[in-house]
Amino acid sequence: MSILSNSFKHSLFLGSMSDFAVLNTGRKMPLVGLGTWKSEPGKVKQAVIWALQSGYRHIDCAAIYANEPEVGEAFQEILGPDKVVCTTVSNKTALYKLPLLWSEVFCEALRREDVFVTSKLWNTQHYAEDVEPALLKTLKDLKLEYLDLYLIHWPHAFQRGDNPFPKNKGGTILYDNIDYKVTWAAMEKLVEKGLVRAIGLSNFNSRQIDDILSVANIKPTVLQVEGHPYLAQVELLAHCRDRGIVMTAYSPLGSPDRAWKRPDEPILLEEPVIAALAKKYNKSPAQIIIRWQTQRGVVTIPKSVTESRIKENIQVIFDFTLTPEEMNSVTELNKGWRYIVPTITVSFLSPVF
């Protein structure tokens, strides 16, 4: 067991709340979180437990990922004043740059308020009367009383109903013309009721963000979009900063585990510029990419169900800093490349993205 005081341990804890973005509500959002998209049932519970044991204090979820009940099992098992989380500090972390005056394992109670939890409203539930029931289902599945952040997953609504991807006989998605501004007004009521601490947007473009802002009584706090060195989102990031909105990047490592990868697509983790920086700092390419994002103030949610990678991804924010020139060299890799390209279209409308 550790001989450190609780306050000192907290200041050194891997991924502690000291590495955060400040939302326009004043609340703090950890810069690195665990993504759970594509984390299949049977693996995601253990991944969340490993993450919390490794120092993550931010878990990103969504109803459409179909794994929130299992994430909730992890929360139930590990969160609470009577639960103790023990962390093993490895000599790969920055903690070992300090004199080793304590044992390698320390423990603490992990409270609900210590963990930032995000979820998202799915496209079939954009009608005002559907928003709160959708959230209550998520809270039940996650075994929580509130969310720290609730996002509108997409600006485009699908036809209401139990089928998350409603289609016509021809196989194309059935859309609904409900205005997302109506959905936003219902999201604001969730804040007023204390069911969520903050609300935001996902996959909205700059015009759509401003459209929401034109009617918002409660401003969006976060925009979550695909973001990585090949899709640096420089203009959109500046747009968000000017409006007091924090950006979160999903698929920050290029989503290499996608089933629909194209054989000719660029492989982000093999990019020579990133590989050279990884060699210089004795880091993995993934750690270089995450460090680049966090230095830009972009919240990053890499997904993994592998214990070693989960630990590696959180270690990045402690013991090195990219120079301004190195930051620019990574940003300049931008080529507007989207790995998460939608394949859902309708015959008379543009694609979803």
Side-chain angles (χ1 to χ4, degrees):
M1 300 293 289
S2 172
I3 63 174
L4 296 177
S5 69
N6 287 335
S7 60
F8 188 46
K9 283 192 298 183
H10 184 71
S11 70
L12 293 174
F13 196 72
L14 305 178
S16 74
M17 293 290 278
S18 61
D19 297 280
F20 52 76
V22 179
L23 304 182
N24 57 34
T25 62
R27 292 184 178 272
K28 298 173 181 178
M29 183 178 186
L31 280 170
V32 178
L34 180 73
T36 59
W37 179 45
K38 301 192 284 16
S39 295
E40 59 268 38
K43 294 184 178 180
V44 68
K45 175 184 176 181
Q46 186 60 63
V48 171
I49 290 173
W50 281 331
L52 294 173
Q53 290 174 337
S54 300
Y56 286 75
R57 296 297 178 262
H58 174 188
I59 307 296
D60 183 85
C61 312
I64 196 60
Y65 300 166
N67 57 18
E68 286 191 331
E70 195 171 332
V71 175
E73 291 175 9
F75 289 155
Q76 188 175 51
E77 184 171 318
I78 206 164
L79 296 182
D82 59 335
K83 312 290 176 63
V84 176
V85 177
C86 293
T87 300
T88 301
V89 181
S90 89
N91 57 9
K92 294 181 180 179
T93 73
L95 298 185
Y96 275 79
K97 289 192 172 184
L98 299 175
L100 187 58
L101 301 176
W102 61 89
S103 66
E104 295 186 2
V105 178
F106 59 87
C107 303
E108 64 176 355
L110 190 59
R111 304 165 299 172
R112 165 64 185 94
E113 56 266 36
D114 294 328
V115 180
F116 192 101
V117 182
T118 300
S119 189
K120 308 175 192 77
L121 177 77
W122 185 238
N123 306 357
T124 54
Q125 296 162 319
H126 278 208
Y127 277 78
E129 56 267 36
D130 296 335
V131 172
E132 184 173 332
L135 170 67
L136 292 175
K137 173 65 163 57
T138 278
L139 290 175
K140 180 181 178 181
D141 287 345
L142 292 175
K143 298 177 173 58
L144 300 176
E145 294 182 356
Y146 68 91
L147 290 180
D148 297 277
L149 177 64
Y150 199 40
L151 308 177
I152 300 178
H153 207 148
W154 295 93
H156 305 275
F158 294 167
Q159 187 178 87
R160 300 168 78 186
D162 295 332
N163 184 351
F165 294 97
K167 298 179 182 179
N168 62 24
K169 292 182 179 179
T172 54
I173 283 287
L174 293 171
Y175 286 81
D176 196 294
N177 61 3
I178 182 72
D179 192 328
Y180 49 64
K181 293 192 291 294
V182 173
T183 311
W184 186 257
M187 296 279 283
E188 291 179 332
K189 292 180 179 179
L190 303 178
V191 179
E192 294 165 359
K193 290 184 176 184
L195 294 171
V196 302
R197 298 292 190 260
I199 49 179
L201 308 169
S202 180
N203 298 301
F204 279 57
N205 61 33
S206 56
R207 178 191 61 79
Q208 293 163 336
I209 293 169
D210 289 348
D211 205 18
I212 291 288
L213 287 170
S214 72
V215 299
N217 293 311
I218 299 175
K219 288 178 59 176
T221 56
V222 169
L223 173 71
Q224 186 176 128
V225 291
E226 180 181 352
H228 44 74
Y230 289 163
L231 187 66
Q233 301 280 22
V234 174
E235 293 82 6
L236 187 56
L237 177 58
H239 190 88
C240 288
R241 284 175 175 164
D242 288 345
R243 289 153 180 79
I245 297 171
V246 169
M247 179 179 284
T248 297
Y250 68 74
S251 299
L253 307 180
S255 197
D257 59 345
R258 286 170 299 122
W260 63 91
K261 287 189 295 186
R262 288 166 40 186
D264 61 335
E265 70 182 27
I267 301 174
L268 179 59
L269 294 175
E270 297 179 3
E271 166 59 46
V273 170
I274 293 170
L277 290 171
K279 183 177 181 180
K280 173 183 175 180
Y281 288 104
N282 193 28
K283 300 293 179 182
S284 70
Q287 288 176 319
I288 296 297
I289 293 168
I290 297 170
R291 183 63 201 169
W292 168 74
Q293 291 282 31
T294 59
Q295 279 188 226
R296 299 199 304 163
V298 175
V299 176
T300 308
I301 47 171
K303 169 261 175 183
S304 181
V305 293
T306 304
E307 183 177 13
S308 61
R309 289 177 181 170
I310 288 170
K311 291 180 176 179
E312 175 186 290
N313 289 341
I314 195 69
Q315 289 167 3
V316 68
I317 55 179
F318 285 92
D319 59 351
F320 79 108
T321 301
L322 298 173
T323 68
E325 294 76 18
E326 290 166 344
M327 288 291 294
N328 289 336
S329 72
V330 177
T331 302
E332 289 169 358
L333 296 172
N334 178 55
K335 56 183 71 179
W337 181 272
R338 292 185 183 274
Y339 288 102
I340 314 302
V341 178
T343 57
I344 298 171
T345 60
V346 288
S347 57
F348 55 91
L349 291 175
S350 301
V352 174
F353 282 73

